Amino acid sequence: MMTSSGPPTVETIAKVAGVSIASVSRVINGHGARPDTVRRVERAVAELGYVPNAVARSLKGGRTRQLTFAMPDIGNPTYVSMVRQIQAVTKPLGYRLLLHSTDAVAEDELGVVRSLAERTSDGLILCPIRVTDAHLAAMEAAAGPVVVIGSLPEGAPVDSVRADSVSGVVLAVRHLLETGRRRIAFINGPADTVPGHNRRAGYHKALTEAGIVPDPALTETTEFGIEAGAAAAHRLLAADPAIDSIFCANDQLALGAAHAAQDRGLDIPGDLAVVGMDDSELARAGWPLLTSVDLGSAERGRIAADMLVSRLAGGDAPPGSPVRSETVAPRLVVRASSAVPA
């Protein structure tokens, strides 16, 4: 409801409720008041249709009670699992969670970091797949705490939690070797990204440790996505029908590879084993069920949220305390897509 002089204010509420402005402020900000005062203020708020201005409150009190989670792809199940855990930590503490999809565009990521100065959010959890000097400089100068889910260079100025994807890839490739596979192809995401670099390193490490020289003809580099995975698998299988397994840098690529194999009349896992990475909901969405490396996306989300609220609360990690970094160990989840061939 609007008054003749504009939107209702704290002063308007005080007049209608018959209490002081200080009493209205205490009730609205949850600082406590006599029960009768609370009832009168709440009735006036409802009658006038008053909506607190979060930005104005933040300018006065320094907090918006809002946090931001910025990720490359809001539709990727990996990030959805992170969102659930971040909200499980922050919502009971009275925070709202704002979601932002950057599409892995560096300038967009930098803009989100810089926007902390606008005080629309108290802190940021960021998932960059490329980390540049500009990222590091922006995070160091940020107006609020930033936590990164991902790998950062040594000495980076912010808290972070990362997956050990190199070890995760080694687990997957060793599993394929142990099931008798020898012609193991690899579908990777963009090589200039942190995930792309680490997954390639793990693939080469596992083959080299097994005495196998990595064959560049068995690697396809593409975008992270189902259609991209299908197209890459078609190219690999058309060029080399002897391929007996494909490891994919995420579950989206693996699901696409499985579709391509089925389109070509190949049996999974009899003719071709397929393994993904992330152990997202996609790993259980198709048939056969997909073997995948669990990189602990939910756990990384939980740890990142704990780090951020600790910075904001000044408890375990008050502003100015040493930067923290944690690593979540990978786990291979074996399903039907890579069962031992008969």
Side-chain angles (χ1 to χ4, degrees), residues 34-46:
R34 290 182 311 210
D36 178 61
T37 300
V38 172
R39 285 193 294 270
R40 291 164 70 178
V41 171
E42 289 178 344
R43 278 199 302 268
V45 165

Side-chain angles (χ1 to χ4, degrees), residues 51-91:
V51 178
N53 187 322
V55 174
R57 282 211 314 264
S58 72
L59 290 173
K60 184 176 181 180
R63 291 293 175 88
T64 67
R65 306 304 296 178
Q66 296 187 147
L67 305 174
T68 300
F69 177 45
M71 71 214 87
D73 178 6
I74 202 167
N76 187 323
T78 296
Y79 300 118
V80 174
S81 67
M82 289 181 183
V83 168
R84 289 176 180 147
Q85 287 303 309
I86 292 169
Q87 186 154 290
V89 171
T90 60
K91 190 174 182 179

Side-chain angles (χ1 to χ4, degrees), residues 174-184 244 340-341:
R174 282 178 181 168
H175 163 68
L176 291 170
L177 291 167
E178 288 165 0
T179 62
R181 317 287 177 170
R182 286 298 177 270
R183 198 75 176 148
I184 303 172
D244 57 21
V340 179

Side-chain angles (χ1 to χ4, degrees), residues 228-254:
H234 275 300
R235 291 192 293 270
L236 286 166
L237 295 168
D240 188 348
I243 289 172
D244 57 21
S245 53
I246 301 178
F247 169 71
C248 300
N250 74 359
D251 289 341
Q252 292 174 303
L253 292 171

Side-chain angles (χ1 to χ4, degrees), residues 5-339:
S5 59
T9 64
V10 172
E11 291 81 1
T12 312
I13 294 169
K15 185 175 180 179
V16 171
V19 299
S20 69
I21 292 174
S23 294
V24 173
S25 178
R26 283 196 296 272
V27 173
I28 289 175
N29 290 295
H31 295 157
R34 290 182 311 210
D36 178 61
T37 300
V38 172
R39 285 193 294 270
R40 291 164 70 178
V41 171
E42 289 178 344
R43 278 199 302 268
V45 165
E47 177 185 336
L48 295 170
Y50 173 77
V51 178
N53 187 322
V55 174
R57 282 211 314 264
S58 72
L59 290 173
K60 184 176 181 180
R63 291 293 175 88
T64 67
R65 306 304 296 178
Q66 296 187 147
L67 305 174
T68 300
F69 177 45
M71 71 214 87
D73 178 6
I74 202 167
N76 187 323
T78 296
Y79 300 118
V80 174
S81 67
M82 289 181 183
V83 168
R84 289 176 180 147
Q85 287 303 309
I86 292 169
Q87 186 154 290
V89 171
T90 60
K91 190 174 182 179
L93 298 175
Y95 288 102
R96 290 188 181 92
L97 185 62
L98 308 179
L99 304 181
H100 181 81
S101 186
T102 65
D103 298 319
V105 175
E107 195 54 43
D108 196 336
E109 293 167 345
L110 294 173
V112 175
V113 175
R114 292 168 183 149
S115 72
L116 288 171
E118 298 170 9
R119 293 181 134 176
T120 55
S121 178
D122 296 335
L124 169 67
I125 297 175
L126 178 66
C127 288
I129 62 173
R130 298 174 179 87
V131 177
T132 66
D133 289 342
H135 282 84
L136 298 175
M139 289 187 287
E140 187 168 22
V146 179
V147 175
V148 168
I149 299 180
S151 298
L152 290 176
E154 191 73 27
V158 295
D159 297 332
S160 65
V161 53
R162 64 182 291 271
D164 185 357
S165 56
V166 173
S167 297
V169 176
V170 171
L171 289 176
V173 175
R174 282 178 181 168
H175 163 68
L176 291 170
L177 291 167
E178 288 165 0
T179 62
R181 317 287 177 170
R182 286 298 177 270
R183 198 75 176 148
I184 303 172
F186 175 39
I187 301 177
N188 196 13
D192 65 335
T193 65
V194 174
H197 175 271
N198 289 343
R199 284 150 172 73
R200 180 180 181 275
Y203 173 73
H204 281 210
K205 181 176 189 234
L207 291 180
T208 302
E209 287 177 349
I212 299 173
V213 178
D215 183 351
L218 294 182
T219 294
E220 278 281 337
T221 300
T222 185
E223 296 299 318
F224 289 112
I226 295 173
E227 291 183 0
H234 275 300
R235 291 192 293 270
L236 286 166
L237 295 168
D240 188 348
I243 289 172
D244 57 21
S245 53
I246 301 178
F247 169 71
C248 300
N250 74 359
D251 289 341
Q252 292 174 303
L253 292 171
L255 190 58
H259 289 168
Q262 291 161 351
D263 288 345
R264 302 178 77 87
L266 298 176
D267 175 70
I268 301 175
D271 299 320
L272 183 77
V274 178
V275 175
M277 193 162 213
D278 287 330
D279 195 34
S280 66
E281 292 180 359
L282 291 177
R284 300 175 293 280
W287 188 259
L289 300 182
L290 186 67
T291 294
S292 186
V293 179
D294 181 357
L295 292 177
S297 56
E299 179 68 0
R300 282 181 284 150
R302 184 194 65 76
I303 292 171
D306 282 338
M307 286 178 167
L308 185 58
V309 298
S310 291
R311 287 287 179 191
L312 290 168
D316 296 337
S321 62
V323 169
R324 294 165 301 164
S325 178
E326 291 195 30
T327 300
V328 175
R331 180 176 64 94
L332 181 67
V333 182
V334 179
R335 299 189 180 94
S337 71
S338 66

